[in-house]
Amino acid sequence: MANSEGSVSLAVFNRLALYVRRLRDMKAEGFVTVSSVALADALSLNRSLVKKDISCAIVNEGKPKVGYNIDELIEDIESFLGYNNTKDAVLVGVGKLGQALMGYRGFEKYGLNIIGGFDIDETIVSKEINGKKILPTGKLESAVKKLNIKIAILTTPGEQAQAITDILVKAGIRAIWNFTPAHIKTPDDVAVKNEDMAVSLAVLSQQLKEILKKESE
Amino acid sequence: MANSEGSVSLAVFNRLALYVRRLRDMKAEGFVTVSSVALADALSLNRSLVKKDISCAIVNEGKPKVGYNIDELIEDIESFLGYNNTKDAVLVGVGKLGQALMGYRGFEKYGLNIIGGFDIDETIVSKEINGKKILPTGKLESAVKKLNIKIAILTTPGEQAQAITDILVKAGIRAIWNFTPAHIKTPDDVAVKNEDMAVSLAVLSQQLKEILKKESE
DNA sequence: TAGATTGTTAATCGATTAACAATC
DNA sequence: TAGATTGTTAATCGATTAACAATC
């Protein structure tokens, strides 16, 4: 059995998501069972590491000499990552990015259900994207309270981020996925995940620098 | 002086970006100098950790009893993270997400210059977003070669991701920022940064779960 | 000088890797 | 049975934290 209530490190989380993606590919290629060794080798990762990561997430044990049933393994990891239990969310700020996220059908696969968008722009209010209504920001607080929503996606301009955050927190939101470049302040009992493009870009740039450096040697 | 050619861990990178954001806030609040201790306390992080992170990135040393000049510190960290040296990139797949990224002026602050977009859709080709032209995908390879571009942003549908990746690699691209949900295969000398919404969402969901659990106790 | 903070060195902690007995 | 893989325990490595001398 697994680390029943695992506060797993971020690194493990990242790798588990990577495993799921690769396992889906392997399943498509016709694999019925898969060993931790095979998965590790496919990803060029240490075998013990993959073994241990898997053991954090699984309910269905593997069999010596055979490995894991690929369906059960995918199911277990997805369940551990929370892809299976649907979570309702609101999205605030229906600009280009907000529209892109509202229109992205992939979220459903990961258990996120955006119930609707909110914007101050009159011209966009009352339109629909991907079958989801867009309401005026004035109705944000009451809607969140009424539907008991706990997750909000923040895609407003940076200047409005803090003001909207305050409204969200007041309405009972407990997790904010922040796509704005602004730093937002929240009480300790509200989780914030910054989708930080700057960091990703910096990481990518550094990798590129190392590759180009290696080449010129 | 700094760890002159620092292969710094991802964790350090993430924290340095966090420091910059907070330092900008502090500067706006009127700080002229700042100590590692003050910064650490403001972020509720360990003092030694912040001290060490900073020492990886800085050129301008701090002064005992005073701390660092806030302008120099921001400048040094930004430079270390590569925000200052402009990097040209192409963007492939000008859907909602692609448009959002092309229209996002914040990238300039981080040194990314999207020189243009590419799409197969005739109706969007030849339009402009944020002053940047959109060209047919057929011209992608020659444009990348001609302008010697090394970075590509991939925002196509998942199904096209691998085919486009192959073209990009052939044209000389060495770093791909992958916003598609697809797993793309590249040679070892091409860096890939997956912008994995699923992982972020999973992390946020877990934090939320822990908060709600704590509450019900 | 006394006090605070720097930069650096040592101690601790956690995550990764290796080793191995159990099992099909 | 022999061989491969599981699950687990021990060893290693790296990152975080604590301690401390140097300095303004």
Side-chain angles (χ1 to χ4, degrees):
Chain A
M1 245 278 280
N3 191 348
S4 70
E5 205 46 62
S7 293
V8 188
S9 76
L10 197 64
V12 176
F13 243 87
N14 273 286
R15 286 194 303 266
L16 284 171
L18 180 70
Y19 301 164
V20 168
R21 258 178 295 157
R22 174 53 67 116
L23 287 167
R24 286 201 196 114
D25 283 355
M26 293 174 101
K27 192 190 165 188
E29 287 164 19
F31 283 75
V32 176
T33 60
V34 65
S35 70
S36 61
V37 173
L39 181 61
D41 289 353
L43 293 164
S44 307
L45 290 175
N46 180 282
R47 293 168 171 194
S48 300
L49 185 69
V50 173
K51 185 91 254 312
K52 205 156 236 178
D53 288 344
I54 287 177
S55 76
C56 291
I58 58 165
V59 178
N60 295 289
E61 296 186 357
K63 281 185 192 139
K65 200 174 173 179
V66 179
Y68 306 84
N69 176 297
I70 199 163
D71 287 319
E72 289 177 358
L73 186 55
I74 292 173
E75 166 73 20
D76 281 354
I77 299 177
E78 286 186 343
S79 163
F80 183 80
L81 293 175
Y83 292 179
N84 295 341
N85 73 319
T86 304
K87 300 162 281 283
D88 287 333
V90 290
L91 182 143
V92 191
V94 193
K96 287 268 170 57
L97 179 60
Q99 286 177 36
L101 295 179
M102 282 182 78
Y104 179 48
R105 296 189 178 268
F107 280 141
E108 288 152 29
K109 203 164 65 181
Y110 303 123
L112 188 75
N113 178 35
I114 303 178
I115 61 137
F118 293 84
D119 206 294
I120 42 168
D121 183 357
E122 293 292 336
T123 64
I124 200 169
V125 164
S126 85
K127 285 187 181 167
E128 283 199 3
I129 293 177
N130 200 7
K132 299 169 202 308
K133 285 222 175 83
I134 298 165
L135 301 170
T137 307
K139 296 201 174 162
L140 177 57
E141 189 172 349
S142 60
V144 167
K145 276 184 181 159
K146 196 166 161 189
L147 297 168
N148 196 29
I149 310 284
K150 297 295 175 204
I151 299 178
I153 302 170
L154 195 57
T155 47
T156 62
E159 301 82 48
Q160 294 161 34
Q162 188 60 56
I164 297 289
T165 297
D166 294 342
I167 295 172
L168 291 168
V169 170
K170 202 171 145 216
I173 287 288
R174 292 312 184 83
I176 298 175
W177 201 359
N178 179 25
F179 284 83
T180 78
H183 169 89
I184 57 174
K185 281 172 204 148
T186 57
D188 284 346
D189 61 352
V190 175
V192 176
K193 178 86 183 91
N194 293 300
E195 203 57 40
D196 201 327
M197 303 289 181
V199 177
S200 297
L201 178 59
V203 171
L204 186 64
S205 301
Q206 194 191 234
Q207 289 179 307
L208 176 62
K209 218 162 104 187
E210 275 165 22
I211 284 172
L212 294 179
K213 195 180 138 205
K214 213 171 283 173
E215 218 153 75
S216 66
E217 283 169 3
Chain B
M1 243 280 282
N3 190 348
S4 71
E5 206 45 64
S7 292
V8 188
S9 77
L10 196 63
V12 176
F13 243 88
N14 273 286
R15 287 195 301 266
L16 284 171
L18 179 70
Y19 301 163
V20 168
R21 259 179 293 158
R22 174 53 67 114
L23 287 168
R24 287 198 197 117
D25 284 355
M26 293 174 102
K27 191 189 164 187
E29 287 164 18
F31 283 76
V32 175
T33 60
V34 65
S35 70
S36 62
V37 173
L39 182 61
D41 289 353
L43 293 163
S44 308
L45 291 174
N46 179 282
R47 292 168 171 195
S48 301
L49 185 69
V50 174
K51 185 93 253 312
K52 206 154 234 179
D53 289 344
I54 287 177
S55 77
C56 293
I58 58 165
V59 178
N60 296 289
E61 296 187 357
K63 282 187 192 139
K65 201 175 175 179
V66 179
Y68 305 85
N69 175 297
I70 199 163
D71 287 320
E72 289 177 357
L73 185 55
I74 292 173
E75 165 73 21
D76 281 354
I77 299 177
E78 286 186 343
S79 162
F80 183 79
L81 293 175
Y83 292 180
N84 295 341
N85 74 319
T86 304
K87 299 162 282 282
D88 287 333
V90 290
L91 182 145
V92 191
V94 194
K96 285 267 169 58
L97 179 59
Q99 287 177 34
L101 295 180
M102 281 182 79
Y104 178 47
R105 296 190 177 268
F107 280 142
E108 288 153 28
K109 202 164 64 180
Y110 303 122
L112 188 76
N113 178 36
I114 302 177
I115 61 138
F118 293 83
D119 206 293
I120 41 169
D121 183 356
E122 293 290 335
T123 64
I124 201 168
V125 165
S126 83
K127 284 187 182 167
E128 283 199 5
I129 293 177
N130 200 7
K132 298 167 202 311
K133 287 223 174 83
I134 299 165
L135 301 170
T137 307
K139 295 201 176 163
L140 177 56
E141 189 171 348
S142 60
V144 167
K145 276 185 182 159
K146 196 167 162 190
L147 297 168
N148 196 29
I149 310 284
K150 297 294 175 204
I151 300 179
I153 302 170
L154 195 57
T155 47
T156 63
E159 301 81 48
Q160 294 161 32
Q162 188 60 56
I164 297 289
T165 297
D166 295 343
I167 295 172
L168 290 169
V169 170
K170 203 171 143 214
I173 287 288
R174 292 311 183 84
I176 298 175
W177 201 359
N178 179 24
F179 284 82
T180 79
H183 170 90
I184 57 174
K185 281 172 204 149
T186 57
D188 284 346
D189 61 353
V190 176
V192 176
K193 178 84 183 92
N194 292 300
E195 204 57 39
D196 200 327
M197 302 290 180
V199 177
S200 297
L201 179 59
V203 171
L204 186 65
S205 301
Q206 194 192 232
Q207 288 179 309
L208 176 62
K209 218 162 107 186
E210 276 166 21
I211 285 172
L212 294 178
K213 195 180 140 207
K214 214 171 281 173
E215 216 152 77
S216 66
E217 283 169 3

